[in-house]
PDB file of all heavy atoms in Angstrom:
ATOM      1  N   SER H  70      96.893  98.157 107.190  1.00 96.00           N
ATOM      2  CA  SER H  70      97.736  97.701 106.092  1.00 96.00           C
ATOM      3  C   SER H  70      98.495  96.418 106.416  1.00 96.00           C
ATOM      4  O   SER H  70      99.216  95.891 105.561  1.00 96.00           O
ATOM      5  CB  SER H  70      98.720  98.802 105.696  1.00 96.00           C
ATOM      6  OG  SER H  70      99.501  99.204 106.809  1.00 96.00           O
ATOM      7  N   TYR H 215     121.455  95.685 112.455  1.00 97.00           N
ATOM      8  CA  TYR H 215     120.845  95.856 111.137  1.00 97.00           C
ATOM      9  C   TYR H 215     121.968  96.339 110.226  1.00 97.00           C
ATOM     10  O   TYR H 215     122.146  97.525 109.992  1.00 97.00           O
ATOM     11  CB  TYR H 215     119.736  96.885 111.201  1.00 97.00           C
ATOM     12  CG  TYR H 215     118.463  96.465 111.887  1.00 97.00           C
ATOM     13  CD1 TYR H 215     118.445  96.048 113.213  1.00 97.00           C
ATOM     14  CD2 TYR H 215     117.243  96.541 111.224  1.00 97.00           C
ATOM     15  CE1 TYR H 215     117.272  95.699 113.857  1.00 97.00           C
ATOM     16  CE2 TYR H 215     116.049  96.202 111.845  1.00 97.00           C
ATOM     17  CZ  TYR H 215     116.076  95.777 113.164  1.00 97.00           C
ATOM     18  OH  TYR H 215     114.908  95.445 113.801  1.00 97.00           O
ATOM     19  N   ALA H 217     122.816  95.482 106.931  1.00 97.00           N
ATOM     20  CA  ALA H 217     122.513  95.771 105.529  1.00 97.00           C
ATOM     21  C   ALA H 217     121.033  96.114 105.438  1.00 97.00           C
ATOM     22  O   ALA H 217     120.194  95.258 105.174  1.00 97.00           O
ATOM     23  CB  ALA H 217     122.849  94.581 104.643  1.00 97.00           C
ATOM     24  N   LYS H 218     120.734  97.370 105.708  1.00 97.00           N
ATOM     25  CA  LYS H 218     119.342  97.837 105.704  1.00 97.00           C
ATOM     26  C   LYS H 218     119.176  98.833 104.562  1.00 97.00           C
ATOM     27  O   LYS H 218     119.824  99.885 104.541  1.00 97.00           O
ATOM     28  CB  LYS H 218     118.990  98.485 107.036  1.00 97.00           C
ATOM     29  CG  LYS H 218     117.538  98.959 107.127  1.00 97.00           C
ATOM     30  CD  LYS H 218     117.263  99.543 108.500  1.00 97.00           C
ATOM     31  CE  LYS H 218     115.829 100.036 108.623  1.00 97.00           C
ATOM     32  NZ  LYS H 218     115.564 100.629 109.953  1.00 97.00           N
ATOM     33  N   TYR H 219     118.299  98.475 103.648  1.00 98.00           N
ATOM     34  CA  TYR H 219     118.155  99.242 102.416  1.00 98.00           C
ATOM     35  C   TYR H 219     117.057 100.300 102.516  1.00 98.00           C
ATOM     36  O   TYR H 219     116.068 100.114 103.241  1.00 98.00           O
ATOM     37  CB  TYR H 219     117.869  98.292 101.255  1.00 98.00           C
ATOM     38  CG  TYR H 219     119.102  97.538 100.804  1.00 98.00           C
ATOM     39  CD1 TYR H 219     119.481  96.339 101.418  1.00 98.00           C
ATOM     40  CD2 TYR H 219     119.899  98.033  99.782  1.00 98.00           C
ATOM     41  CE1 TYR H 219     120.619  95.663 101.018  1.00 98.00           C
ATOM     42  CE2 TYR H 219     121.042  97.354  99.375  1.00 98.00           C
ATOM     43  CZ  TYR H 219     121.401  96.173  99.994  1.00 98.00           C
ATOM     44  OH  TYR H 219     122.532  95.501  99.598  1.00 98.00           O
ATOM     45  N   ALA H 220     117.226 101.367 101.762  1.00 97.00           N
ATOM     46  CA  ALA H 220     116.202 102.409 101.644  1.00 97.00           C
ATOM     47  C   ALA H 220     115.120 101.882 100.712  1.00 97.00           C
ATOM     48  O   ALA H 220     115.067 102.190  99.529  1.00 97.00           O
ATOM     49  CB  ALA H 220     116.816 103.690 101.095  1.00 97.00           C
ATOM     50  N   SER H 221     114.249 101.063 101.263  1.00 96.00           N
ATOM     51  CA  SER H 221     113.313 100.253 100.489  1.00 96.00           C
ATOM     52  C   SER H 221     111.914 100.856 100.465  1.00 96.00           C
ATOM     53  O   SER H 221     111.474 101.501 101.422  1.00 96.00           O
ATOM     54  CB  SER H 221     113.244  98.843 101.090  1.00 96.00           C
ATOM     55  OG  SER H 221     112.247  98.073 100.485  1.00 96.00           O
ATOM     56  N   ALA H 222     111.209 100.585  99.374  1.00 94.00           N
ATOM     57  CA  ALA H 222     109.799 100.960  99.278  1.00 94.00           C
ATOM     58  C   ALA H 222     108.890  99.926  99.927  1.00 94.00           C
ATOM     59  O   ALA H 222     107.669 100.110  99.950  1.00 94.00           O
ATOM     60  CB  ALA H 222     109.414 101.138  97.811  1.00 94.00           C
ATOM     61  N   PHE H 223     109.460  98.856 100.462  1.00 95.00           N
ATOM     62  CA  PHE H 223     108.672  97.786 101.066  1.00 95.00           C
ATOM     63  C   PHE H 223     108.313  98.055 102.526  1.00 95.00           C
ATOM     64  O   PHE H 223     107.711  97.207 103.167  1.00 95.00           O
ATOM     65  CB  PHE H 223     109.425  96.452 100.966  1.00 95.00           C
ATOM     66  CG  PHE H 223     109.386  95.819  99.608  1.00 95.00           C
ATOM     67  CD1 PHE H 223     110.333  96.146  98.656  1.00 95.00           C
ATOM     68  CD2 PHE H 223     108.403  94.897  99.271  1.00 95.00           C
ATOM     69  CE1 PHE H 223     110.310  95.576  97.398  1.00 95.00           C
ATOM     70  CE2 PHE H 223     108.364  94.323  98.019  1.00 95.00           C
ATOM     71  CZ  PHE H 223     109.320  94.664  97.077  1.00 95.00           C
ATOM     72  N   TYR H 224     108.684  99.197 103.068  1.00 95.00           N
ATOM     73  CA  TYR H 224     108.430  99.485 104.480  1.00 95.00           C
ATOM     74  C   TYR H 224     107.096 100.189 104.733  1.00 95.00           C
ATOM     75  O   TYR H 224     106.779 100.517 105.875  1.00 95.00           O
ATOM     76  CB  TYR H 224     109.541 100.367 105.065  1.00 95.00           C
ATOM     77  CG  TYR H 224     110.935  99.806 104.983  1.00 95.00           C
ATOM     78  CD1 TYR H 224     112.029 100.651 104.779  1.00 95.00           C
ATOM     79  CD2 TYR H 224     111.173  98.450 105.117  1.00 95.00           C
ATOM     80  CE1 TYR H 224     113.318 100.156 104.714  1.00 95.00           C
ATOM     81  CE2 TYR H 224     112.466  97.943 105.042  1.00 95.00           C
ATOM     82  CZ  TYR H 224     113.537  98.803 104.841  1.00 95.00           C
ATOM     83  OH  TYR H 224     114.817  98.311 104.769  1.00 95.00           O
ATOM     84  N   GLY H 225     106.308 100.438 103.686  1.00 91.00           N
ATOM     85  CA  GLY H 225     105.123 101.265 103.824  1.00 91.00           C
ATOM     86  C   GLY H 225     104.196 100.915 104.976  1.00 91.00           C
ATOM     87  O   GLY H 225     103.872 101.782 105.811  1.00 91.00           O
ATOM     88  N   PRO H 226     103.710  99.665 105.088  1.00 93.00           N
ATOM     89  CA  PRO H 226     102.791  99.352 106.183  1.00 93.00           C
ATOM     90  C   PRO H 226     103.402  99.542 107.576  1.00 93.00           C
ATOM     91  O   PRO H 226     102.689  99.864 108.531  1.00 93.00           O
ATOM     92  CB  PRO H 226     102.432  97.884 105.927  1.00 93.00           C
ATOM     93  CG  PRO H 226     102.626  97.713 104.452  1.00 93.00           C
ATOM     94  CD  PRO H 226     103.813  98.564 104.121  1.00 93.00           C
ATOM     95  N   PHE H 227     104.717  99.353 107.682  1.00 91.00           N
ATOM     96  CA  PHE H 227     105.385  99.581 108.966  1.00 91.00           C
ATOM     97  C   PHE H 227     105.210 101.021 109.420  1.00 91.00           C
ATOM     98  O   PHE H 227     105.080 101.291 110.617  1.00 91.00           O
ATOM     99  CB  PHE H 227     106.872  99.240 108.838  1.00 91.00           C
ATOM    100  CG  PHE H 227     107.665  99.411 110.107  1.00 91.00           C
ATOM    101  CD1 PHE H 227     107.824  98.351 110.989  1.00 91.00           C
ATOM    102  CD2 PHE H 227     108.276 100.624 110.418  1.00 91.00           C
ATOM    103  CE1 PHE H 227     108.562  98.498 112.161  1.00 91.00           C
ATOM    104  CE2 PHE H 227     109.010 100.783 111.577  1.00 91.00           C
ATOM    105  CZ  PHE H 227     109.153  99.719 112.453  1.00 91.00           C
ATOM    106  N   ARG H 228     105.193 101.941 108.454  1.00 90.00           N
ATOM    107  CA  ARG H 228     105.021 103.356 108.802  1.00 90.00           C
ATOM    108  C   ARG H 228     103.694 103.573 109.533  1.00 90.00           C
ATOM    109  O   ARG H 228     103.596 104.363 110.469  1.00 90.00           O
ATOM    110  CB  ARG H 228     105.061 104.211 107.543  1.00 90.00           C
ATOM    111  CG  ARG H 228     106.324 104.062 106.709  1.00 90.00           C
ATOM    112  CD  ARG H 228     107.472 104.895 107.226  1.00 90.00           C
ATOM    113  NE  ARG H 228     108.554 104.924 106.265  1.00 90.00           N
ATOM    114  CZ  ARG H 228     109.638 104.152 106.315  1.00 90.00           C
ATOM    115  NH1 ARG H 228     109.784 103.302 107.316  1.00 90.00           N
ATOM    116  NH2 ARG H 228     110.590 104.237 105.407  1.00 90.00           N
ATOM    117  N   GLU H 229     102.656 102.866 109.074  1.00 92.00           N
ATOM    118  CA  GLU H 229     101.378 102.959 109.774  1.00 92.00           C
ATOM    119  C   GLU H 229     101.476 102.330 111.160  1.00 92.00           C
ATOM    120  O   GLU H 229     100.948 102.864 112.143  1.00 92.00           O
ATOM    121  CB  GLU H 229     100.265 102.267 108.979  1.00 92.00           C
ATOM    122  CG  GLU H 229      98.920 102.339 109.692  1.00 92.00           C
ATOM    123  CD  GLU H 229      97.847 101.456 109.075  1.00 92.00           C
ATOM    124  OE1 GLU H 229      98.081 100.898 107.992  1.00 92.00           O
ATOM    125  OE2 GLU H 229      96.778 101.316 109.704  1.00 92.00           O
ATOM    126  N   ALA H 230     102.163 101.213 111.247  1.00 95.00           N
ATOM    127  CA  ALA H 230     102.245 100.482 112.518  1.00 95.00           C
ATOM    128  C   ALA H 230     102.874 101.321 113.617  1.00 95.00           C
ATOM    129  O   ALA H 230     102.467 101.238 114.781  1.00 95.00           O
ATOM    130  CB  ALA H 230     103.023  99.189 112.318  1.00 95.00           C
ATOM    131  N   VAL H 231     103.889 102.128 113.258  1.00 93.00           N
ATOM    132  CA  VAL H 231     104.558 102.952 114.270  1.00 93.00           C
ATOM    133  C   VAL H 231     104.123 104.407 114.201  1.00 93.00           C
ATOM    134  O   VAL H 231     104.689 105.259 114.892  1.00 93.00           O
ATOM    135  CB  VAL H 231     106.097 102.850 114.141  1.00 93.00           C
ATOM    136  CG1 VAL H 231     106.559 101.422 114.374  1.00 93.00           C
ATOM    137  CG2 VAL H 231     106.591 103.379 112.804  1.00 93.00           C
ATOM    138  N   ARG H 239     115.068 108.408 103.834  1.00 93.00           N
ATOM    139  CA  ARG H 239     116.233 108.042 104.638  1.00 93.00           C
ATOM    140  C   ARG H 239     117.401 107.594 103.765  1.00 93.00           C
ATOM    141  O   ARG H 239     118.234 106.804 104.187  1.00 93.00           O
ATOM    142  CB  ARG H 239     115.842 106.937 105.625  1.00 93.00           C
ATOM    143  CG  ARG H 239     114.799 107.403 106.631  1.00 93.00           C
ATOM    144  CD  ARG H 239     114.280 106.276 107.486  1.00 93.00           C
ATOM    145  NE  ARG H 239     113.357 106.802 108.483  1.00 93.00           N
ATOM    146  CZ  ARG H 239     112.346 106.123 109.001  1.00 93.00           C
ATOM    147  NH1 ARG H 239     112.120 104.882 108.605  1.00 93.00           N
ATOM    148  NH2 ARG H 239     111.550 106.672 109.896  1.00 93.00           N
ATOM    149  N   GLN H 243     120.297 104.946 104.974  1.00 95.00           N
ATOM    150  CA  GLN H 243     120.006 103.578 104.550  1.00 95.00           C
ATOM    151  C   GLN H 243     120.599 103.342 103.167  1.00 95.00           C
ATOM    152  O   GLN H 243     120.866 104.273 102.418  1.00 95.00           O
ATOM    153  CB  GLN H 243     118.501 103.336 104.548  1.00 95.00           C
ATOM    154  CG  GLN H 243     117.893 103.375 105.939  1.00 95.00           C
ATOM    155  CD  GLN H 243     116.387 103.165 105.933  1.00 95.00           C
ATOM    156  OE1 GLN H 243     115.756 103.086 104.888  1.00 95.00           O
ATOM    157  NE2 GLN H 243     115.794 103.092 107.114  1.00 95.00           N
ATOM    158  N   GLN H 244     120.798 102.072 102.820  1.00 95.00           N
ATOM    159  CA  GLN H 244     121.580 101.752 101.636  1.00 95.00           C
ATOM    160  C   GLN H 244     120.791 101.845 100.325  1.00 95.00           C
ATOM    161  O   GLN H 244     119.571 101.661 100.301  1.00 95.00           O
ATOM    162  CB  GLN H 244     122.156 100.341 101.766  1.00 95.00           C
ATOM    163  CG  GLN H 244     123.266 100.244 102.793  1.00 95.00           C
ATOM    164  CD  GLN H 244     123.807  98.831 102.865  1.00 95.00           C
ATOM    165  OE1 GLN H 244     123.638  98.162 103.870  1.00 95.00           O
ATOM    166  NE2 GLN H 244     124.439  98.381 101.808  1.00 95.00           N
ATOM    167  N   VAL H 269     119.989  91.335 107.329  1.00 98.00           N
ATOM    168  CA  VAL H 269     119.688  91.902 106.022  1.00 98.00           C
ATOM    169  C   VAL H 269     118.204  92.268 106.015  1.00 98.00           C
ATOM    170  O   VAL H 269     117.357  91.469 106.408  1.00 98.00           O
ATOM    171  CB  VAL H 269     119.993  90.903 104.891  1.00 98.00           C
ATOM    172  CG1 VAL H 269     119.556  91.462 103.535  1.00 98.00           C
ATOM    173  CG2 VAL H 269     121.478  90.543 104.874  1.00 98.00           C
ATOM    174  N   LYS H 270     117.891  93.471 105.537  1.00 98.00           N
ATOM    175  CA  LYS H 270     116.512  93.958 105.555  1.00 98.00           C
ATOM    176  C   LYS H 270     116.295  94.882 104.355  1.00 98.00           C
ATOM    177  O   LYS H 270     117.091  95.804 104.155  1.00 98.00           O
ATOM    178  CB  LYS H 270     116.259  94.725 106.854  1.00 98.00           C
ATOM    179  CG  LYS H 270     114.851  95.285 106.989  1.00 98.00           C
ATOM    180  CD  LYS H 270     114.698  96.074 108.292  1.00 98.00           C
ATOM    181  CE  LYS H 270     113.270  96.633 108.404  1.00 98.00           C
ATOM    182  NZ  LYS H 270     113.104  97.449 109.627  1.00 98.00           N
ATOM    183  N   PRO H 271     115.242  94.610 103.555  1.00 98.00           N
ATOM    184  CA  PRO H 271     114.263  93.522 103.562  1.00 98.00           C
ATOM    185  C   PRO H 271     114.888  92.168 103.202  1.00 98.00           C
ATOM    186  O   PRO H 271     116.090  92.081 102.956  1.00 98.00           O
ATOM    187  CB  PRO H 271     113.252  93.948 102.492  1.00 98.00           C
ATOM    188  CG  PRO H 271     113.463  95.411 102.300  1.00 98.00           C
ATOM    189  CD  PRO H 271     114.917  95.633 102.545  1.00 98.00           C
ATOM    190  N   ALA H 272     114.011  91.155 103.110  1.00 98.00           N
ATOM    191  CA  ALA H 272     114.495  89.797 102.862  1.00 98.00           C
ATOM    192  C   ALA H 272     114.326  89.380 101.400  1.00 98.00           C
ATOM    193  O   ALA H 272     115.304  89.251 100.666  1.00 98.00           O
ATOM    194  CB  ALA H 272     113.780  88.815 103.790  1.00 98.00           C
ATOM    195  N   TYR H 275     116.123  90.871  98.449  1.00 98.00           N
ATOM    196  CA  TYR H 275     117.568  90.949  98.654  1.00 98.00           C
ATOM    197  C   TYR H 275     118.169  89.579  98.997  1.00 98.00           C
ATOM    198  O   TYR H 275     119.117  89.482  99.764  1.00 98.00           O
ATOM    199  CB  TYR H 275     117.875  91.985  99.750  1.00 98.00           C
ATOM    200  CG  TYR H 275     117.437  93.365  99.348  1.00 98.00           C
ATOM    201  CD1 TYR H 275     116.150  93.809  99.636  1.00 98.00           C
ATOM    202  CD2 TYR H 275     118.270  94.195  98.614  1.00 98.00           C
ATOM    203  CE1 TYR H 275     115.719  95.066  99.218  1.00 98.00           C
ATOM    204  CE2 TYR H 275     117.846  95.451  98.190  1.00 98.00           C
ATOM    205  CZ  TYR H 275     116.567  95.878  98.492  1.00 98.00           C
ATOM    206  OH  TYR H 275     116.145  97.112  98.067  1.00 98.00           O
ATOM    207  N   TYR H 293     114.920  90.131 107.742  1.00 98.00           N
ATOM    208  CA  TYR H 293     113.624  90.673 108.163  1.00 98.00           C
ATOM    209  C   TYR H 293     112.681  90.632 106.968  1.00 98.00           C
ATOM    210  O   TYR H 293     112.871  91.341 105.989  1.00 98.00           O
ATOM    211  CB  TYR H 293     113.806  92.110 108.645  1.00 98.00           C
ATOM    212  CG  TYR H 293     112.688  92.686 109.489  1.00 98.00           C
ATOM    213  CD1 TYR H 293     112.971  93.533 110.561  1.00 98.00           C
ATOM    214  CD2 TYR H 293     111.342  92.416 109.221  1.00 98.00           C
ATOM    215  CE1 TYR H 293     111.957  94.080 111.333  1.00 98.00           C
ATOM    216  CE2 TYR H 293     110.330  92.949 109.994  1.00 98.00           C
ATOM    217  CZ  TYR H 293     110.643  93.789 111.047  1.00 98.00           C
ATOM    218  OH  TYR H 293     109.635  94.338 111.813  1.00 98.00           O
ATOM    219  N   VAL H 295     109.822  92.019 105.709  1.00 98.00           N
ATOM    220  CA  VAL H 295     109.265  93.290 106.163  1.00 98.00           C
ATOM    221  C   VAL H 295     107.778  93.414 105.831  1.00 98.00           C
ATOM    222  O   VAL H 295     107.192  92.580 105.133  1.00 98.00           O
ATOM    223  CB  VAL H 295     110.058  94.482 105.587  1.00 98.00           C
ATOM    224  CG1 VAL H 295     111.502  94.422 106.031  1.00 98.00           C
ATOM    225  CG2 VAL H 295     109.948  94.538 104.068  1.00 98.00           C
ATOM    226  N   SER H 296     107.215  94.508 106.297  1.00 97.00           N
ATOM    227  CA  SER H 296     105.765  94.701 106.246  1.00 97.00           C
ATOM    228  C   SER H 296     105.203  94.637 104.833  1.00 97.00           C
ATOM    229  O   SER H 296     104.123  94.069 104.615  1.00 97.00           O
ATOM    230  CB  SER H 296     105.411  96.037 106.889  1.00 97.00           C
ATOM    231  OG  SER H 296     106.043  97.119 106.213  1.00 97.00           O
ATOM    232  N   GLY H 297     105.904  95.211 103.868  1.00 97.00           N
ATOM    233  CA  GLY H 297     105.400  95.196 102.500  1.00 97.00           C
ATOM    234  C   GLY H 297     105.372  93.806 101.907  1.00 97.00           C
ATOM    235  O   GLY H 297     104.462  93.462 101.134  1.00 97.00           O
ATOM    236  N   GLU H 298     106.355  92.984 102.253  1.00 98.00           N
ATOM    237  CA  GLU H 298     106.371  91.592 101.789  1.00 98.00           C
ATOM    238  C   GLU H 298     105.150  90.845 102.338  1.00 98.00           C
ATOM    239  O   GLU H 298     104.461  90.117 101.611  1.00 98.00           O
ATOM    240  CB  GLU H 298     107.659  90.900 102.243  1.00 98.00           C
ATOM    241  CG  GLU H 298     108.947  91.532 101.718  1.00 98.00           C
ATOM    242  CD  GLU H 298     110.163  90.884 102.340  1.00 98.00           C
ATOM    243  OE1 GLU H 298     110.340  89.665 102.190  1.00 98.00           O
ATOM    244  OE2 GLU H 298     110.948  91.607 103.002  1.00 98.00           O
ATOM    245  N   TYR H 335     106.096  88.602 110.519  1.00 98.00           N
ATOM    246  CA  TYR H 335     104.819  88.813 111.192  1.00 98.00           C
ATOM    247  C   TYR H 335     103.998  87.533 111.232  1.00 98.00           C
ATOM    248  O   TYR H 335     102.996  87.465 111.940  1.00 98.00           O
ATOM    249  CB  TYR H 335     104.054  89.942 110.497  1.00 98.00           C
ATOM    250  CG  TYR H 335     104.831  91.242 110.522  1.00 98.00           C
ATOM    251  CD1 TYR H 335     105.568  91.666 109.416  1.00 98.00           C
ATOM    252  CD2 TYR H 335     104.870  92.028 111.672  1.00 98.00           C
ATOM    253  CE1 TYR H 335     106.310  92.834 109.451  1.00 98.00           C
ATOM    254  CE2 TYR H 335     105.610  93.195 111.722  1.00 98.00           C
ATOM    255  CZ  TYR H 335     106.330  93.590 110.605  1.00 98.00           C
ATOM    256  OH  TYR H 335     107.081  94.747 110.652  1.00 98.00           O
TER     257      TYR H 335
END
Side-chain angles (χ1 to χ4, degrees):
S70 57
Y215 287 59
K218 182 178 180 181
Y219 285 86
S221 173
F223 283 88
Y224 302 145
F227 181 91
R228 303 278 191 262
E229 180 191 352
V231 298
R239 296 173 176 151
Q243 294 179 354
Q244 289 181 247
V269 175
K270 180 182 180 182
Y275 297 89
Y293 198 143
V295 300
S296 60
E298 300 174 59
Y335 300 99

